[in-house]
Amino acid sequence: MDRKLAFHVTDDCDNMLAQRFLRDKCGLSARMITRLKREKNGILMDGKILRTIDYVQSGKNVEIHLPNEKSEIEPVEGKLNIVFEDDDFLIVDKPPFMPVHPVKQHQNDTLANIVSYYCKTRGEEFTFRAINRLDKDTSGLVIIAKNRFCANSLKNKTHKIYYALCEGNIDKSGTVNAPIALQENSKMVRTVQSNGMPSVTHYKPLISNNKFSLLELWLETGRTHQIRCHMSYLGHTLIGDDLYGGSLKIMSRQALHCGEVNFVHPVTKNFIKVKAELPIDMKKVIKQNINRDIY
């Protein structure tokens, strides 16, 4: 997808080396700068070629021309619940039971396949880059960057809020600060281990009874299965999470939903805040077992 970005040279950047301006002020990686140098009119200043050894001048505009990209993912028609879109991002509310990326067992029934189809019908094409990755059975918001610049700029700079239905009564907010590692003899299950990666999960109960609790959670770290592992560690496994000891009697998947994402847009600098309400299956459990309607 053809995309041009402009950066104004302010007085404090006058006579700054272009290489430094592109890295420090534009947020371009060394790899991207190298790639742009190979592109025709990849880096310009007021319409003229700007070399990395040149100096930028205050009052002028530096323009980068992001190269077109091809999607290598098979386009497959499907329903796409779009909650936000502009020239740089696509944010969708992913249903449960849908993988984000194609894998060996799922080649053409993923979110990436449907996004590829959606974009091609609009005459757009870009490499699928999901900023946050949800498990197949986890529902909720997925941020997709339409170009490499925005993907790199947003790395580790998004705030996400999750909602989970857990077994047992949790009536106080808390924090789990416990390292997570891959369980021995498993390629998937994570456990709390002293030699694991630092992992911090904050949680707040919204509603609860003696059997179940609806929690709001946010993470300081983004380990694989972090919420699922930490809640199991506390003795409050997610409903439907049989991988971590939960029961499948009430739900056939882990009751976990990414319900809010927010970030500062790397191009417009606007604050973006997007929400997605709880899916039907989680609402149904809350209604039937906690006797509450929630939206």
Side-chain angles (χ1 to χ4, degrees), residues 3 22 59 61 72 75 86 137 155 178 204 217 234 237 249 252 264:
R3 184 75 168 109
L22 294 168
N61 291 309
E72 298 180 355
D86 66 3
D137 293 344
K155 188 177 181 180
K204 179 177 73 173
L217 309 101
L234 288 184
T237 306
K249 291 181 180 180
S252 59
V264 175

Side-chain angles (χ1 to χ4, degrees), residues 244-285:
Y244 287 89
S247 172
L248 295 173
K249 291 181 180 180
I250 298 176
M251 282 186 63
S252 59
R253 59 106 177 180
Q254 69 262 11
L256 183 61
H257 177 73
C258 182
E260 181 181 320
V261 296
N262 58 69
F263 57 91
V264 175
H265 197 296
V267 177
T268 67
K269 305 306 178 185
N270 292 331
F271 181 73
I272 306 298
K273 183 176 182 179
V274 177
K275 294 184 177 183
E277 66 178 65
L278 289 178
I280 293 174
D281 58 354
M282 290 180 67
K283 286 183 178 180
K284 183 178 179 180
V285 171

Side-chain angles (χ1 to χ4, degrees), residues 108-226:
N108 54 19
D109 60 347
T110 72
L111 179 64
N113 296 116
I114 300 174
V115 168
S116 178
Y117 180 88
Y118 168 77
C119 292
K120 286 196 173 184
T121 60
R122 290 162 53 90
E124 292 184 278
E125 195 169 4
F126 53 83
T127 300
F128 183 86
R129 298 184 177 93
I131 303 300
N132 60 314
R133 302 184 180 188
L134 302 183
D135 294 334
K136 176 174 69 71
D137 293 344
T138 298
S139 59
L141 297 169
V142 178
I143 308 169
I144 302 153
K146 293 185 177 182
N147 56 68
R148 187 186 298 273
F149 169 79
C150 287
N152 291 343
S153 298
L154 215 59
K155 188 177 181 180
N156 300 322
K157 293 181 180 178
T158 62
H159 179 67
K160 299 173 287 293
I161 294 178
Y162 295 85
Y163 297 92
L165 278 167
C166 301
E167 298 178 351
N169 184 16
I170 301 175
D171 57 7
K172 294 182 180 179
S173 299
T175 297
V176 185
N177 187 348
I180 291 175
L182 190 64
Q183 181 175 289
E184 188 177 358
N185 300 322
S186 175
K187 296 181 179 180
M188 186 178 300
V189 180
R190 267 64 181 178
T191 61
V192 170
Q193 298 181 26
S194 59
N195 62 343
M197 298 292 290
S199 307
V200 180
T201 302
H202 303 282
Y203 61 89
K204 179 177 73 173
L206 300 179
I207 54 176
S208 62
N209 62 14
N210 291 331
K211 293 183 178 180
F212 306 110
S213 300
L214 174 65
L215 302 182
E216 179 180 282
L217 309 101
W218 58 102
L219 312 177
E220 288 188 25
T221 52
R223 311 301 176 201
T224 300
H225 293 184
Q226 180 172 321

